[in-house]
Amino acid sequence: MELVFILICGGLAAIASLLVIFARSTLHSALWMVVSFFMVAVIYVLLHAQFLAMLQIIVYAGAIMMFILYAIMMLNLRREQDEKVPVRNSKIFGLVALVVLFMELVMVALQHGVEAIHGPITDQLVQAHGRVAVLSNFLFSDYLLPFEVASILLTAGVVGAVVLAKRTK
Amino acid sequence: MISYNLYTYLAVAGALLCFGLYGLMQHRSLIGMLISTELILNGAGLNFMAFNRFLAPDPAIGQVFALFIMGLAAAEAAIAVSLIFAVYRKYHTSDPERVNDLRG
């Protein structure tokens, strides 16, 4: 049953990302990207990560796509995108490289199994405390330093974005 | 059966990675390249989540990494969009092949 849902959602995510690449205008590819984000959020729910699925929708489909759509509308890119672009050699070579890379990934995954090592936290503990509690426990104890570094990075990103986008004359 | 599910998730993540890489190579606007980068980051997050579900030492440890990927993607999108604005103001184009002047 799970496999059917994975195949449906994964297939839809793959189709949506194909349409992202091959859409004629940048606006269309951004909108197909939203579909792809939602499908990945559904896959996160299938992987028992409901919190991350909500964050995926809020952060990716909400915040990041809002940035990108805002940029597209501000720059008015449709004029440039509608020009006919001839098929270049690099497109064909890129497609071949894409297929080869994907087959390589699948072959490596199928031929070399990965062994699992089990740590102290079991599924029963997760069931008892809830996934968000376990996740935040990791986030604020073992991964406190990366968490703080990420917050510094976000602050620096906001300041840098304001400085870069400010008109300097 | 469980590992079979894992491979399906990994195949979806690999497909997202490959499409993102191809889009990064062939897109003719900076914003399209930014969107393709988001696709790659999404594939990476999905990969972490799949291994977290089936093979992680502790459940929810991969979610920490997926969370960090999301935060980095948000910061990266903000910086990239403002860089694209700056480039557009200087060159009046968002085609990366026409942005080829070092001094501006």
Side-chain angles (χ1 to χ4, degrees), chain A residues 13-23 95 98, chain B residues 19 22 39:
Chain A
I15 291 170
S17 15
L18 262 183
L19 287 167
V20 169
I21 302 172
F22 291 111
L95 264 183
L98 163 84
Chain B
F19 293 154
Y22 180 67
L39 215 56

Side-chain angles (χ1 to χ4, degrees), chain A residues 44-78:
Chain A
Y44 280 173
V45 173
L46 287 175
L47 286 167
H48 302 291
Q50 292 87 354
F51 179 61
L52 271 188
M54 291 318 294
L55 276 187
Q56 168 91 9
I57 291 175
I58 293 171
V59 174
Y60 269 118
I64 295 180
M65 286 329 281
M66 193 272 293
F67 267 138
I68 291 174
L69 284 177
Y70 179 68
I72 291 170
M73 288 172 184
M74 196 135 163
L75 299 186
N76 197 10
L77 289 176
R78 272 180 70 191

Side-chain angles (χ1 to χ4, degrees), chain A residues 89-108:
Chain A
N89 278 338
S90 67
K91 278 197 176 185
I92 298 155
F93 287 128
L95 264 183
V96 172
L98 163 84
V99 173
V100 168
L101 176 64
F102 183 67
M103 295 310 291
E104 208 169 355
L105 286 176
V106 170
M107 297 265 282
V108 168

